[in-house]
Amino acid sequence: MPDPYAASRTAGERIEALYGRPVIELAADPVPGSMRYALLNSFDALQYADRAVTFHAEQLHRLTHPDRAIESVDVGHIVDATRLLAHAVTVRDSHAQVLGDVLNSLARVPDTTHQASAEPQAPAVVPAPPPAASTEPVRSR
């Protein structure tokens, strides 16, 4: 059986690579409105969708286990479990696609806090001096 948490595990690894810190640390100090906050919310939704896929697959497996006798009253439950599993897979795949696309569009920015102190500061912008007054006589009309 394939890894049911592969989508969220891959996304978590990519978020950690992007920020250079574990997801747990990133989630410890949320900053609403930031890209990190949006990524972590999407990551949480993807993890929840992964768990829903696992839950519904296990439920369907319990209902259709070979050792279990399936009666007519079970058919509705099996159909419902199948529908819920299909919905959970669709939601999970949608979250994985969107989060993957967003992560693909981002690149890690080098840490500028260490570089800023090592590089010399650029001089402040100084306005240009006013033009010098002309020494030629002014002509009148």
Side-chain angles (χ1 to χ4, degrees):
M1 179 175 182
D3 181 11
Y5 299 103
S8 59
R9 187 171 291 118
T10 301
E13 290 169 356
R14 292 173 67 191
I15 291 171
E16 289 174 350
L18 184 67
Y19 285 96
R21 294 184 357 204
V23 171
I24 291 290
E25 284 182 24
L26 294 171
D29 56 341
V31 180
S34 68
M35 177 57 79
R36 182 180 70 184
Y37 188 78
L39 286 173
L40 291 174
N41 281 339
S42 294
F43 178 63
D44 285 343
L46 179 58
Q47 285 182 313
Y48 182 79
D50 273 346
R51 287 190 301 270
V53 168
T54 302
F55 172 79
H56 293 299
E58 288 173 355
Q59 184 177 7
L60 183 60
H61 180 69
R62 278 191 305 273
L63 291 170
T64 60
H65 194 273
D67 296 337
R68 185 175 186 274
I70 298 176
E71 299 175 10
S72 61
V73 295
D74 294 326
V75 174
H77 295 293
I78 292 170
V79 170
D80 191 42
T82 304
R83 183 185 56 79
L84 290 171
L85 176 59
H87 183 264
V89 168
T90 302
V91 169
R92 191 259 330 262
D93 290 350
S94 297
H95 281 295
Q97 180 68 45
V98 170
L99 185 56
D101 289 346
V102 170
L103 287 169
N104 283 338
S105 72
L106 300 174
R108 184 169 185 192
V109 178
D111 189 10
T112 57
T113 56
H114 299 295
Q115 293 175 355
S117 60
E119 294 178 11
Q121 295 281 334
V125 177
V126 179
S134 176
T135 55
E136 295 180 21
V138 179
R139 294 161 102 194
S140 62
R141 290 189 176 188

